[in-house]
């Protein structure tokens, strides 16, 4: 197949969730022998090039078009169209003009568009091409959960406004009546409770050759949590982990440490590093050693949506896991089989203490979790799901 990806940022690893997802999808499709190009926005320019150059790191010349005024479309989308801010920031009419030019010269069987840029192409009809929208996550679900837990009045007001706009935008996507994919069954059910057949679940995969076990590393008495640390769900989870879970456990285990690992820590997360035994790393070249050495991966997310790659990575690396129900909603572990799943602070403390004291249980859970990841989230399994979503034409 000839496939064109249209993304709101350049696909790359490491990167944000949408960037990693697109990079993985493109890489796996190239391995299968498909021809893939990608079109994306960067600052005031749109770029189009062969995806093999992205994967191989070649310095192939990219074809590009420059916008005359990148600010006016953003203002129009937010104030006149009523789109969410996170969508309006990717209002870029040059993408539409570029797409028309490209498709006049080359045929694509599949045009794979990430949802945040779909509004740029609402009136485009490409004869002979199947358009597939990638929601990635149900963003309104994330915003609903965030609104519930946010205490700051100004933040609550902002989240409420963005939530209303996002729900309208997601309805706009549905009205386009296009094929769609999304990362998890929970997100699919939230968006398509009555029209579930119109969207396929295609998760992200975990590279098990990279996220592998390392029996040479010995585990320390430490808790670990990873992620982009200026992202609101992670900021809240890191703060909760340190103050409500780690500190009570520190009284029982004086030598216990807590590692907050990830790029761009917010000021609130940086302050946690002043607490005895807490390490806030900021950006690290390789997150794997932290999870090879930690005794327990603790993920007390209270809001968020989609698939939490951090959990699958921890499982693949052999770290035992304690996590919230919301964290598990995009994964599907069973409590006391692959992980310990709970909701309240006292439960997190008790379950984490249990794994700190019971090495046999921790190793058993970790082993089953890695097997689960290999069975459900390997590159082969996920790539087959993506290709099936592309090729199953009659699903209505």
């Amino acid at each position: 197949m000839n496939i064109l990806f249209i993304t709101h940022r350049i696909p790359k690893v490491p990167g944000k969730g949408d960037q990693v997802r697109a990079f993985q999808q493109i890489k796996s499709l190239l391995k299968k022998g498909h021809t893939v190009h990608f079109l994306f926005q960067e600052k005031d320019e749109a770029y189009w090039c062969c995806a093999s150059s992205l994967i191989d790191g070649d310095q192939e010349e990219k074809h590009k078009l420059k916008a005359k005024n990148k600010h006016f479309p953003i203002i129009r989308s937010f104030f006149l169209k009523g789109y969410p801010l996170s969508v309006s920031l990717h209002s870029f009419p040059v993408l539409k003009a570029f797409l028309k030019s490209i498709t006049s010269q080359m045929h694509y069987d599949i045009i794979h568009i990430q949802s945040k840029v779909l509004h740029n192409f609402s009136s485009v009809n490409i004869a002979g091409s199947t358009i597939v929208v990638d929601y990635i996550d149900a963003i309104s679900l994330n915003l609903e959960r965030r609104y519930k837990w946010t205490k700051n009045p100004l933040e609550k007001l902002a989240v409420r406004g963005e939530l209303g706009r996002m729900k309208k935008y997601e309805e706009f996507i549905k009205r386009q009546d296009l094929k769609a994919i999304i990362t998890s069954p929970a997100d699919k059910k939230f968006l398509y409770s009555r029209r579930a057949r119109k969207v396929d679940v295609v998760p992200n995969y975990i590279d098990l050759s990279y996220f592998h076990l390392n029996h040479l590393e010995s585990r320390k008495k430490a808790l670990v949590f990873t992620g982009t640390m200026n992202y609101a769900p992670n900021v809240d989870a890191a703060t909760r982990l340190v103050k409500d879970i780690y500190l009570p456990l520190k009284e029982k285990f004086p030598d216990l440490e807590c590692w907050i690992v990830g790029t761009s820590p917010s000021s609130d997360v940086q302050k946690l590093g002043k607490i005895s035994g807490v390490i806030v790393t900021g950006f690290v070249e390789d997150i794997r050693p932290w999870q090879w050495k930690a005794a327990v991966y603790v993920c007390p997310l209270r809001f968020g949506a989609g698939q939490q790659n951090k959990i699958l990575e921890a499982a693949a690396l052999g770290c035992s896991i304690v996590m919230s129900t919301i964290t598990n909603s995009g994964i599907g572990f069973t409590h006391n089989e692959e992980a310990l799943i709970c909701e309240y602070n006292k439960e997190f403390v008790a379950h984490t203490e249990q794994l700190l004291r019971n090495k046999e249980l921790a190793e058993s859970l970790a082993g089953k979790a890695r097997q689960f990841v290999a069975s459900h989230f390997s590159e082969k399994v996920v790539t087959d799901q993506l290709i099936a979503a592309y090729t199953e034409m009659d699903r209505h």
Side-chain angles (χ1 to χ4, degrees):
M1 290 186 289
N2 288 338
I3 304 166
L4 175 67
F5 272 71
I6 305 177
T7 64
H8 58 274
R9 282 186 282 241
I10 184 170
K12 66 176 184 177
V13 174
K16 295 184 180 293
D18 57 274
Q19 294 173 300
V20 172
R21 178 171 172 83
F23 186 94
Q24 285 187 342
Q25 290 167 336
I26 290 169
K27 182 179 179 180
S28 61
L29 289 167
L30 288 171
K31 284 184 180 179
K32 290 282 189 177
H34 300 287
T35 299
V36 186
H37 295 97
F38 67 103
L39 172 64
F40 69 97
Q41 168 200 350
E42 188 171 90
K43 297 181 180 179
D44 61 347
E45 292 181 318
Y47 294 87
W48 172 83
C49 75
C50 178
S52 59
S53 65
L54 170 76
I55 303 301
D56 299 335
D58 296 339
Q59 297 301 313
E60 179 181 309
E61 178 66 24
K62 301 182 182 73
H63 302 274
K64 61 184 179 181
L65 279 180
K66 188 167 185 174
K68 294 179 180 179
N69 186 332
K70 72 171 185 177
H71 300 296
F72 177 70
I74 295 173
I75 294 169
R76 182 179 62 184
S77 292
F78 186 76
F79 290 104
L80 299 182
K81 297 285 189 179
Y83 292 145
L85 179 60
S86 60
V87 170
S88 298
L89 289 172
H90 302 290
S91 298
F92 209 61
V94 166
L95 288 172
K96 181 177 178 180
F98 213 161
L99 178 62
K100 285 185 175 181
S101 174
I102 293 166
T103 53
S104 69
Q105 304 170 54
M106 184 168 185
H107 169 73
Y108 290 103
D109 302 293
I110 302 293
I111 299 178
H112 180 131
I113 307 178
Q114 289 186 342
S115 63
K116 284 186 179 179
V117 291
L118 182 65
H119 62 294
N120 293 293
F121 309 99
S122 59
S123 61
V124 173
N125 182 23
I126 310 298
S129 298
T130 298
I131 297 177
V132 177
V133 180
D134 192 348
Y135 280 97
I136 305 175
D137 305 331
I139 301 174
S140 60
L141 176 59
N142 179 15
L143 291 169
E144 276 194 2
R145 291 168 171 169
R146 182 176 175 182
Y147 180 78
K148 175 184 176 182
W149 285 103
T150 297
K151 295 182 175 62
N152 184 297
L154 290 178
E155 183 180 353
K156 207 171 186 70
L157 182 64
V159 171
R160 182 178 179 180
E162 185 75 354
L163 172 59
R165 287 170 177 263
M166 184 55 71
K167 285 187 173 182
K168 290 179 181 178
Y169 184 67
E170 289 170 344
E171 287 301 317
F172 157 78
I173 296 175
K174 293 177 187 178
R175 289 197 301 272
Q176 307 310 302
D177 201 32
L178 300 169
K179 298 177 70 170
I181 61 174
I182 201 163
T183 54
S184 82
D187 291 61
K188 171 182 174 177
K189 183 177 180 181
F190 181 81
L191 289 178
Y192 282 85
S193 57
R194 295 183 180 180
R195 295 188 292 172
R197 289 180 299 170
K198 297 184 73 66
V199 61
D200 284 326
V201 173
V202 180
N204 303 321
Y205 69 77
I206 295 299
D207 184 348
L208 294 169
S209 65
Y210 181 79
F211 293 99
H212 58 81
L213 300 176
N214 186 350
H215 297 295
L216 298 178
E217 293 281 8
S218 58
R219 296 197 178 274
K220 296 184 63 175
K221 195 163 287 183
L223 315 180
V224 66
F225 176 65
T226 61
T228 301
M229 290 302 162
N230 61 355
Y231 179 51
N234 290 340
V235 173
D236 178 77
T239 303
R240 183 186 184 193
L241 167 58
V242 171
K243 294 184 176 180
D244 299 324
I245 302 167
Y246 165 71
L247 287 179
L249 286 168
K250 182 75 169 173
E251 296 178 3
K252 300 179 180 182
F253 303 93
D255 57 341
L256 184 65
E257 294 182 4
C258 183
W259 304 334
I260 308 298
V261 183
T263 188
S264 306
S266 69
S267 58
D268 287 339
V269 173
Q270 290 178 40
K271 290 175 185 176
L272 299 174
K274 297 178 180 179
I275 297 172
S276 176
V278 177
I279 297 175
V280 177
T281 66
F283 173 77
V284 294
E285 289 286 347
D286 189 349
I287 65 168
R288 295 175 300 173
W290 297 90
Q291 294 171 80
W292 281 327
K293 294 176 182 178
V296 187
Y297 190 104
V298 184
C299 187
L301 284 176
R302 285 188 280 214
F303 53 94
Q307 174 187 313
Q308 299 299 323
N309 293 340
K310 56 172 71 72
I311 294 298
L312 301 181
E313 292 169 358
L317 293 168
C319 195
S320 60
I321 298 166
V322 180
M323 63 180 179
S324 63
T325 304
I326 282 176
T327 305
N328 189 48
S329 64
I331 296 172
F333 284 165
T334 299
H335 173 63
N336 228 13
E337 286 291 326
E338 294 87 16
L340 299 182
I341 303 165
C342 52
E343 209 58 55
Y344 302 105
N345 292 336
K346 287 184 178 179
E347 294 175 318
F348 268 100
V349 172
H351 286 327
T352 305
E353 179 179 356
Q354 185 180 11
L355 294 184
L356 288 171
R357 295 189 184 280
N358 190 337
K359 184 179 178 182
E360 184 177 334
L361 174 61
E363 289 179 349
S364 174
L365 292 173
K368 292 176 182 177
R370 180 173 168 80
Q371 291 174 6
F372 187 97
V373 171
S375 298
H376 295 84
F377 299 102
S378 69
E379 181 176 359
K380 182 183 184 307
V381 169
V382 172
T383 304
D384 288 346
Q385 289 175 310
L386 177 61
I387 293 173
Y390 284 165
T391 56
E392 290 173 7
M393 302 296 293
D394 184 12
R395 300 180 300 148
H396 295 272

